[in-house]
Amino acid sequence: MKRLLLPLACLSVGAASAADLDMANKIRSEGFYNSHVMHTLEHLTDKIGSRITNSPQMDEANRWTMEQLKSWGLENAHLDPFDFGRGWSHDSASIHLIAPREESLHGIPVAWTPGTQGKVEGELMMLDAVTEAELQQYKGKLKGKILLMGDPPPIGKPKTIIFARHDSKKLGELKEFDPSRPASHEGWMTPARKDTRLQSYNFNKALEAFLAKEKVAGVIYRSSRQGGLVRVFGKSHRVGDTFPVPAIIIEQEDYSLLQRMLDRKETPKLALDIKARFHDEHTDAYNTIAEIPGTDSNPEVVMVGGHLDSWHASDGAVDNGVGVAVAMEAVRILKALDVQPKRTIRIALWSGEEQGLHGSRAYVEKQFATRPEPKDKVERALPRYLWKSPGWPIETKPAYDKLSVYFNMDNGSGRFRGIYTEGNVAVKPLFTDWFGPYMDLSTGAISNLSTGGTDHESFDDVGLPGFQFIQDPLDYSTRLHHTHIDSIDHVIEDDLKQASVIMAGFLFEAAMAEERMPRKPIPAAPSKLKQERQKLETEKERRTRERDARKALDTKAYGI
Amino acid sequence: MKRLLLPLACLSVGAASAADLDMANKIRSEGFYNSHVMHTLEHLTDKIGSRITNSPQMDEANRWTMEQLKSWGLENAHLDPFDFGRGWSHDSASIHLIAPREESLHGIPVAWTPGTQGKVEGELMMLDAVTEAELQQYKGKLKGKILLMGDPPPIGKPKTIIFARHDSKKLGELKEFDPSRPASHEGWMTPARKDTRLQSYNFNKALEAFLAKEKVAGVIYRSSRQGGLVRVFGKSHRVGDTFPVPAIIIEQEDYSLLQRMLDRKETPKLALDIKARFHDEHTDAYNTIAEIPGTDSNPEVVMVGGHLDSWHASDGAVDNGVGVAVAMEAVRILKALDVQPKRTIRIALWSGEEQGLHGSRAYVEKQFATRPEPKDKVERALPRYLWKSPGWPIETKPAYDKLSVYFNMDNGSGRFRGIYTEGNVAVKPLFTDWFGPYMDLSTGAISNLSTGGTDHESFDDVGLPGFQFIQDPLDYSTRLHHTHIDSIDHVIEDDLKQASVIMAGFLFEAAMAEERMPRKPIPAAPSKLKQERQKLETEKERRTRERDARKALDTKAYGI
């Protein structure tokens, strides 16, 4: 334990606490009764709209957030560039079934795919191939066709419950430590999983070349949510590597109709009109950075942030306008209270998160720690997530020792019910302490588990403390995440105010704490033993995959 | 009690029962192991698509169902016309926000409104008027504008549970008799409610004339479901009475965005392109009718049916392709078993249900019972639902005494958990009896309540027994009813088979029962006392409405 704490029993509002109770009252007052959080969010979502990395809208969002933070008195506000790739944006997309009957379908283009240059019409075909050999069977048959990309099974029943808050049972479960989980997020990406991903990457590259060569008119993907929701994704944004034909994602219900038409040997015809374009003015993307400087000489740093970029299906409200608005609101509250923190409080609004945490990873690399790139030239040319190793050893820079903690928000607009330690169990007494003045607003559950998939991972991966709060799930995963209804309409204002207040409280306490945050051991390359076991696993995985493929081919051949 | 029944305790499968148990086994076998129900439904929804009354698709559905019933051996298959009004259909619709930023919105035209004759662009304005005086404030300001029709409050939280089956608690509640409910569905439409509807009808007529005169380019309505669902409706289909300007219904999320833009004094511009048209080849619509003739001389009749027409948002699968498919499957099963029923079994697939039960009402009037029309010429020219009285006395025709019962299905694809008596409590022992052989498939709950809003009402209103089954609610009301995702994807095949088997069983038992079904007393005009009380109520309602309007104006004037 790094700090003298009162017994846990004392930690409730009104009792003596290691947290600054006067400051907590001020933060509440500013955060609840003079909130700017919805105004900030409304600007990001309604006025700017979707903010796909390196789009003109994202440029505008970078500029606006920087100016806004400046106007609140933050210092050193700037845009921090990193190498990303091509920009992309779209204005509109329409897709109509024109035969055997007419119907307007509902679709949104795949990001980083070209527009149609006006309306194109074409017959529909199914492309049901998962190997390059299967692909060859379509040779010479696809010119001018519009393709359904795959033949999935029918739509199942919907989720029963689409909106929920954590109950005490769930919060209780979250508190259990689970040693079977890897120590860091990188642990999830085993060599076997990478191998599968590489296979799929290689097939997709062959597929793309094939589609271009065969002069396909356009391709259609199925939304990964049912119930009329269009859930989007993107293709490669890397220069010289972008998808060759117009591509659109449509509702599952529309996709299934087209599948059944093809099953019945009808010949559906479609009209596609997609206005989309690449932007090659700059290949850098930008993180918005600003600070409340610390009063210590050569101060340590506490950070807060969330990703500013979004997908293009709607306005990126719960993913992740809310995380940005709460991070901005937290520093606005502290600035409005004219805090004089010992440590510097720095806000970072990341870009390129949706394409693989690019902004935060580049920032961590620039500021805190580097890792060697693959020696093999071919491997180095692949997207980073396909490199065999994340790069060992981690080499730290001077600022590495100066960063105390990074708090991230990126799990929708649900209120903060507690916090995940990411397995850094030593922080538990501190967090318990800091939740003290807010226990009427939150259950303050401390979970030893980790929550993955977003920018705190970039810190955690190099051994720096990066945390996220336990948020009520609401309808984030069931219907909003990356879908066309991720608009400000589904954000819960009271929850955002609560989150802003607790975020401000945690930032303040972290900035004033006597010592730097405790850390997990710095990650190191897997041991020889572990490497050997992983090699065996990868081999087994490959054999299984090949056997499954042979079985699938048999099934096709015999029609069973 | 009209028939000697065994004590209730004996009524379970395997015990002696008044139901024909051998026949029940045959029905199960045909219905579960040789089902045609999904094939029938797929033709209606996928091949024909939406079936709006008097559209070319509905004509095709009439023709196809008639031919299909004939091909199964039913007799007297024909299309029975009734006076309806104009036909209407649409091919496609698109709506784009073009300023202050670009975004494709998601909308479907309002039925029976004109297309745009190509793309029209216009500035957006809010039309927030509920009285003719308020309307006048917009005079001279609307030319070429696209209007948001009303300024509703923000979108609230979604329903938590979107998919459910009835539990035993709910089924228990349904069994209670509630004498406060009116004896017939017509009882719901009190003079006070009619008065409110007439006010709103008159305002809407004034509004329509105003929109036409002011040369409005188009109007936008808000979907009545959130979460990306476009839930549709229609304007008047009556000749000489159709809506004058293009009208579209858009997602709540899109509508709210436009509202907020106007709130912030931005000037959104939109582009509308709606391909829709009226069909005036015939003003008659058609019910599809067919029979399995009864073996009695001058046989009585049992009927089964559901409405074949649908709205135009999707393919009309759960509303009401399923009701049609189950009714057709029930008679197909009986025909396949070569039943020789004492009573004639007649199937009726109604048209014009969605616009006010027009097809079934016309049929009942033609076959069974007439009612006097209003004497007042002005009143008679109004749509029927605005007539002060449904028409007293009911005058019966000879066939009135010959109809034993009508079974309807129109509550989605949820399985049959029991049946509603519509307050005709005397039928309870019969229904208990008939459920006997199917108690492993259904809980067989008998509810004394009524279930309103569809074609059995046309029978019940004149004192003829018309029933619906208690169905599991599933996601019918939460997301499918009249929305753009009412496709076959959300139909549960097993539930449809179960419903078809029970429907066939009930039809057979009703056709073979010793006596005609017991009836409620024939409806009569309200007593003098009741009329007096209703008059007072109507007056009170009018005063309340006027006071509320004055209050609302005050609120506007003072901005409070």
Side-chain angles (χ1 to χ4, degrees):
Chain A
M1 206 160 76
K2 303 200 61 169
R3 183 180 174 187
L4 192 67
L5 285 167
L6 294 167
L8 289 186
C10 302
L11 293 170
S12 61
V13 184
S17 156
D20 184 327
L21 299 180
D22 276 336
M23 181 55 71
N25 266 351
K26 288 182 197 164
I27 288 172
R28 275 168 187 266
S29 180
E30 182 67 24
F32 283 115
Y33 306 120
N34 190 29
S35 176
H36 286 39
V37 72
M38 288 304 280
H39 180 81
T40 302
L41 182 61
E42 193 169 300
H43 192 100
L44 289 172
T45 57
D46 268 5
K47 297 261 251 188
I48 298 177
S50 70
R51 303 167 302 281
I52 203 158
T53 309
N54 236 359
S55 63
Q57 294 96 313
M58 183 61 189
D59 286 349
E60 171 60 16
N62 276 133
R63 197 201 56 76
W64 182 79
T65 49
M66 179 180 71
E67 292 304 329
Q68 196 64 26
L69 291 164
K70 263 189 212 168
S71 79
W72 291 335
L74 276 84
E75 295 182 29
N76 192 22
H78 66 284
L79 302 184
D80 197 39
F82 62 95
D83 179 46
F84 176 75
R86 305 185 78 183
W88 180 87
S89 69
H90 86 290
D91 294 333
S92 66
S94 68
I95 173 166
H96 296 289
L97 176 66
I98 51 178
R101 58 185 176 90
E102 298 208 47
E103 190 165 322
S104 294
L105 310 182
H106 183 208
I108 300 176
V110 178
W112 286 282
T113 63
T116 52
Q117 323 299 329
K119 192 163 85 171
V120 297
E121 296 188 357
E123 244 181 49
L124 187 72
M125 268 187 68
M126 173 66 69
L127 184 83
D128 188 21
V130 292
T131 67
E132 294 189 44
E134 288 178 346
L135 218 45
Q136 290 311 312
Q137 299 168 5
Y138 292 92
K139 205 171 168 180
K141 298 177 185 165
L142 304 185
K143 192 174 172 191
K145 296 288 195 293
I146 294 173
L147 305 182
L148 280 194
M149 298 297 269
D151 198 15
I155 300 175
K157 284 182 208 167
K159 286 193 160 42
T160 302
I161 291 173
I162 59 161
F163 184 93
R165 292 192 179 273
H166 282 319
D167 56 18
S168 50
K169 181 166 168 283
K170 176 69 188 172
L171 289 170
E173 285 164 14
L174 285 172
K175 289 180 189 169
E176 306 286 330
F177 182 73
D178 179 358
S180 75
R181 294 197 166 212
S184 83
H185 296 95
E186 276 176 355
W188 288 110
M189 193 40 63
T190 60
R193 285 193 183 125
K194 280 210 174 157
D195 194 56
T196 310
R197 283 192 168 200
L198 185 61
Q199 290 265 339
S200 140
Y201 175 84
N202 286 334
F203 171 71
N204 279 319
K205 284 295 139 196
L207 172 68
E208 287 174 21
F210 188 76
L211 295 174
K213 201 170 156 208
E214 297 288 318
K215 298 196 179 1
V216 165
V219 300
I220 303 176
Y221 289 89
R222 187 171 100 140
S223 168
S224 53
R225 286 280 177 280
Q226 58 142 289
L229 297 175
V230 180
R231 187 161 186 260
V232 303
F233 60 93
K235 294 286 184 182
S236 170
H237 51 85
R238 306 193 331 153
V239 177
D241 187 39
T242 42
F243 199 76
V245 299
I248 191 166
I249 305 144
I250 64 171
E251 289 181 6
Q252 287 202 359
E253 287 80 359
D254 289 340
Y255 196 97
S256 299
L257 172 67
L258 299 179
Q259 277 178 286
R260 290 190 302 268
M261 285 179 163
L262 292 176
D263 285 347
R264 288 191 299 262
K265 314 286 181 209
E266 298 171 14
T267 50
K269 277 188 69 177
L270 294 165
L272 265 184
D273 192 353
I274 302 175
K275 287 183 184 56
R277 73 191 62 82
F278 290 94
H279 300 276
D280 294 316
E281 298 79 24
H282 53 80
T283 54
D284 275 349
Y286 304 88
N287 301 317
T288 303
I289 311 282
E291 294 179 343
I292 303 173
T295 55
D296 278 355
S297 66
N298 192 11
E300 290 178 348
V301 177
V302 300
M303 288 186 69
V304 61
H307 70 87
L308 179 57
D309 67 299
S310 78
W311 285 110
H312 56 297
S314 179
D315 303 327
V318 304
D319 190 15
N320 183 29
V322 291
V324 169
V326 164
M328 288 176 72
E329 179 70 357
V331 296
R332 189 200 64 78
I333 291 170
L334 295 178
K335 197 64 209 170
L337 300 179
D338 198 23
V339 296
Q340 303 294 329
K342 285 170 27 180
R343 294 186 181 81
T344 292
I345 295 171
R346 184 184 299 157
I347 181 171
L349 307 175
W350 311 113
S351 185
E353 192 272 351
E354 295 292 4
Q355 291 74 45
L357 323 188
H358 293 289
S360 55
R361 204 175 290 284
Y363 185 83
V364 165
E365 193 137 317
K366 196 191 283 186
Q367 296 288 328
F368 304 120
T370 58
R371 326 178 62 145
E373 298 197 340
K375 288 192 187 106
D376 181 68
K377 208 176 138 190
V378 176
E379 189 186 352
R380 205 163 57 239
L382 288 173
R384 188 180 202 114
Y385 74 91
L386 293 170
W387 291 353
K388 280 186 196 127
S389 148
W392 304 112
I394 293 169
E395 289 184 40
T396 65
K397 301 188 172 191
Y400 187 85
D401 294 323
K402 287 289 184 182
L403 184 77
S404 179
V405 63
Y406 169 64
F407 294 107
N408 191 69
M409 174 170 170
D410 184 22
N411 288 296
S413 77
R415 62 177 50 211
F416 288 178
R417 305 294 303 275
I419 192 162
Y420 296 98
T421 67
E422 306 289 325
N424 180 357
V425 186
V427 300
K428 204 170 161 175
L430 287 174
F431 285 160
T432 305
D433 206 11
W434 298 352
F435 261 119
Y438 306 105
M439 287 298 282
D440 57 333
L441 293 176
S442 175
T443 36
I446 317 281
S447 171
N448 295 314
L449 300 179
S450 33
T451 169
T454 181
D455 294 298
H456 65 295
E457 280 192 34
S458 301
F459 293 80
D460 189 78
D461 283 350
V462 298
L464 290 171
F467 301 106
Q468 289 212 110
F469 290 84
I470 300 170
Q471 293 182 250
D472 272 336
L474 308 185
D475 45 353
Y476 183 66
S477 302
T478 53
R479 59 176 203 150
L480 302 180
H481 184 249
H482 299 184
T483 73
H484 83 281
I485 61 165
D486 182 8
S487 63
I488 195 169
D489 303 293
H490 304 299
V491 167
I492 296 181
E493 181 171 350
D494 283 348
D495 283 21
L496 284 200
K497 288 180 181 167
Q498 187 258 19
S500 304
V501 162
I502 292 177
M503 186 69 97
F506 268 59
L507 274 182
F508 179 78
E509 291 297 334
M512 301 303 278
E514 273 176 46
E515 294 186 47
R516 208 188 62 183
M517 208 75 179
R519 297 179 175 189
K520 292 189 284 190
I522 189 163
S527 64
K528 273 256 156 68
L529 174 69
K530 191 157 188 175
Q531 282 182 44
E532 280 308 317
R533 290 176 63 96
Q534 286 184 335
K535 214 177 264 173
L536 292 174
E537 221 169 272
T538 308
E539 268 317 302
K540 197 172 169 189
E541 169 84 9
R542 184 174 292 143
R543 284 201 309 276
T544 308
R545 193 167 57 230
E546 283 168 6
R547 194 190 55 220
D548 287 352
R550 285 197 307 274
K551 213 192 279 175
L553 280 175
D554 270 8
T555 310
K556 264 187 198 174
Y558 296 105
I560 43 172
Chain B
M1 205 159 76
K2 303 201 62 168
R3 185 180 173 187
L4 192 67
L5 285 166
L6 294 167
L8 288 185
C10 301
L11 294 171
S12 62
V13 184
S17 156
D20 185 327
L21 300 180
D22 277 337
M23 182 54 73
N25 267 351
K26 289 182 196 164
I27 288 172
R28 275 168 188 268
S29 180
E30 182 67 24
F32 283 116
Y33 306 120
N34 190 29
S35 177
H36 287 39
V37 72
M38 288 304 280
H39 179 81
T40 303
L41 183 61
E42 192 169 301
H43 191 99
L44 289 172
T45 56
D46 269 5
K47 297 261 248 188
I48 298 176
S50 70
R51 304 168 301 282
I52 203 158
T53 309
N54 236 359
S55 63
Q57 295 97 312
M58 182 61 190
D59 287 349
E60 171 60 17
N62 275 132
R63 196 200 58 74
W64 182 79
T65 49
M66 179 180 71
E67 292 304 329
Q68 196 64 26
L69 291 164
K70 261 189 213 168
S71 78
W72 291 335
L74 275 84
E75 296 183 28
N76 192 22
H78 65 283
L79 302 185
D80 196 40
F82 63 94
D83 179 45
F84 176 75
R86 306 184 78 182
W88 181 87
S89 69
H90 86 290
D91 294 332
S92 66
S94 69
I95 174 167
H96 297 288
L97 177 65
I98 50 178
R101 57 186 177 92
E102 296 207 48
E103 190 163 323
S104 293
L105 310 183
H106 183 210
I108 300 176
V110 177
W112 286 282
T113 63
T116 51
Q117 324 298 329
K119 191 163 86 171
V120 295
E121 296 188 357
E123 245 181 47
L124 187 73
M125 267 186 68
M126 173 66 69
L127 186 81
D128 188 21
V130 292
T131 67
E132 294 189 42
E134 288 178 346
L135 218 45
Q136 290 311 312
Q137 300 168 5
Y138 292 93
K139 205 169 167 180
K141 299 177 186 166
L142 304 184
K143 193 174 172 190
K145 296 289 194 294
I146 294 173
L147 305 183
L148 281 194
M149 298 297 268
D151 197 17
I155 300 175
K157 284 182 208 167
K159 284 192 162 40
T160 302
I161 291 172
I162 60 161
F163 184 93
R165 293 192 179 274
H166 282 319
D167 56 17
S168 50
K169 181 166 168 280
K170 176 70 190 172
L171 289 169
E173 283 165 14
L174 284 173
K175 289 179 188 167
E176 306 286 331
F177 182 73
D178 178 358
S180 75
R181 293 196 166 214
S184 83
H185 296 94
E186 275 176 356
W188 288 110
M189 193 38 66
T190 59
R193 285 192 184 125
K194 279 208 175 157
D195 194 55
T196 310
R197 282 191 170 202
L198 184 61
Q199 290 264 339
S200 139
Y201 175 84
N202 286 334
F203 172 71
N204 279 319
K205 283 296 140 196
L207 172 67
E208 287 174 19
F210 187 77
L211 296 174
K213 200 169 156 207
E214 298 287 318
K215 299 195 177 5
V216 166
V219 300
I220 303 176
Y221 290 91
R222 187 171 101 141
S223 167
S224 52
R225 287 279 177 281
Q226 59 142 286
L229 298 175
V230 180
R231 187 160 186 259
V232 302
F233 59 93
K235 293 288 183 180
S236 171
H237 51 84
R238 306 194 330 155
V239 177
D241 188 40
T242 42
F243 199 75
V245 298
I248 192 165
I249 305 145
I250 64 172
E251 289 180 6
Q252 287 201 359
E253 287 80 358
D254 288 341
Y255 195 97
S256 299
L257 172 66
L258 299 180
Q259 276 179 286
R260 290 190 302 267
M261 285 180 163
L262 291 178
D263 285 348
R264 289 192 298 263
K265 312 287 180 209
E266 297 171 15
T267 50
K269 277 186 70 177
L270 293 164
L272 264 184
D273 192 353
I274 302 175
K275 288 184 183 56
R277 72 191 63 82
F278 290 94
H279 300 277
D280 293 316
E281 299 80 24
H282 54 80
T283 55
D284 275 348
Y286 304 89
N287 300 317
T288 303
I289 310 282
E291 293 180 344
I292 303 174
T295 55
D296 279 355
S297 68
N298 192 10
E300 292 177 349
V301 177
V302 300
M303 288 186 68
V304 61
H307 70 89
L308 179 58
D309 66 299
S310 77
W311 284 110
H312 57 296
S314 179
D315 303 328
V318 304
D319 190 16
N320 181 29
V322 291
V324 169
V326 164
M328 288 176 72
E329 179 69 358
V331 296
R332 188 199 65 77
I333 291 170
L334 295 178
K335 196 64 209 170
L337 301 178
D338 198 24
V339 297
Q340 302 295 329
K342 286 172 22 180
R343 295 185 181 82
T344 292
I345 295 171
R346 184 184 299 157
I347 181 171
L349 307 175
W350 312 113
S351 185
E353 192 271 352
E354 295 292 5
Q355 292 74 46
L357 321 187
H358 292 289
S360 56
R361 204 175 289 284
Y363 184 84
V364 165
E365 192 138 317
K366 197 191 280 186
Q367 296 286 328
F368 303 120
T370 57
R371 327 179 60 147
E373 297 197 341
K375 288 191 188 109
D376 179 68
K377 209 176 137 191
V378 177
E379 189 185 352
R380 204 162 61 237
L382 289 172
R384 191 183 199 110
Y385 75 90
L386 292 170
W387 291 354
K388 281 188 194 127
S389 149
W392 306 111
I394 292 168
E395 288 184 40
T396 64
K397 301 188 171 189
Y400 186 86
D401 295 323
K402 287 290 185 183
L403 184 78
S404 179
V405 61
Y406 168 64
F407 293 108
N408 191 68
M409 175 170 169
D410 183 23
N411 288 297
S413 76
R415 61 177 51 211
F416 288 177
R417 305 295 303 277
I419 193 163
Y420 295 97
T421 67
E422 305 290 324
N424 181 356
V425 186
V427 301
K428 204 170 162 177
L430 287 174
F431 285 161
T432 305
D433 206 11
W434 300 351
F435 262 119
Y438 305 104
M439 288 299 282
D440 58 332
L441 293 175
S442 175
T443 36
I446 317 282
S447 171
N448 294 315
L449 300 181
S450 32
T451 169
T454 182
D455 295 299
H456 65 297
E457 279 192 33
S458 301
F459 293 80
D460 189 77
D461 284 349
V462 298
L464 289 170
F467 300 107
Q468 289 213 112
F469 290 85
I470 300 170
Q471 293 182 250
D472 272 336
L474 308 184
D475 45 353
Y476 182 65
S477 302
T478 53
R479 59 178 203 150
L480 303 180
H481 184 250
H482 298 186
T483 73
H484 83 282
I485 61 165
D486 182 8
S487 64
I488 195 169
D489 304 292
H490 304 298
V491 167
I492 297 180
E493 180 170 351
D494 282 349
D495 283 20
L496 284 201
K497 289 181 180 167
Q498 186 258 20
S500 303
V501 162
I502 292 177
M503 186 70 97
F506 268 59
L507 273 182
F508 179 77
E509 292 297 335
M512 301 303 278
E514 272 175 48
E515 295 186 46
R516 207 188 64 183
M517 208 74 179
R519 296 179 175 189
K520 292 190 284 189
I522 189 165
S527 65
K528 273 257 157 67
L529 173 69
K530 191 158 188 175
Q531 282 182 42
E532 281 307 318
R533 290 176 64 96
Q534 286 184 334
K535 213 176 266 173
L536 293 175
E537 222 171 88
T538 309
E539 269 315 303
K540 197 172 170 188
E541 168 85 8
R542 184 173 294 144
R543 283 202 308 276
T544 308
R545 194 166 57 229
E546 283 168 7
R547 194 190 54 221
D548 286 352
R550 285 198 306 276
K551 212 192 276 176
L553 282 175
D554 270 9
T555 309
K556 266 187 197 174
Y558 295 107
I560 44 173

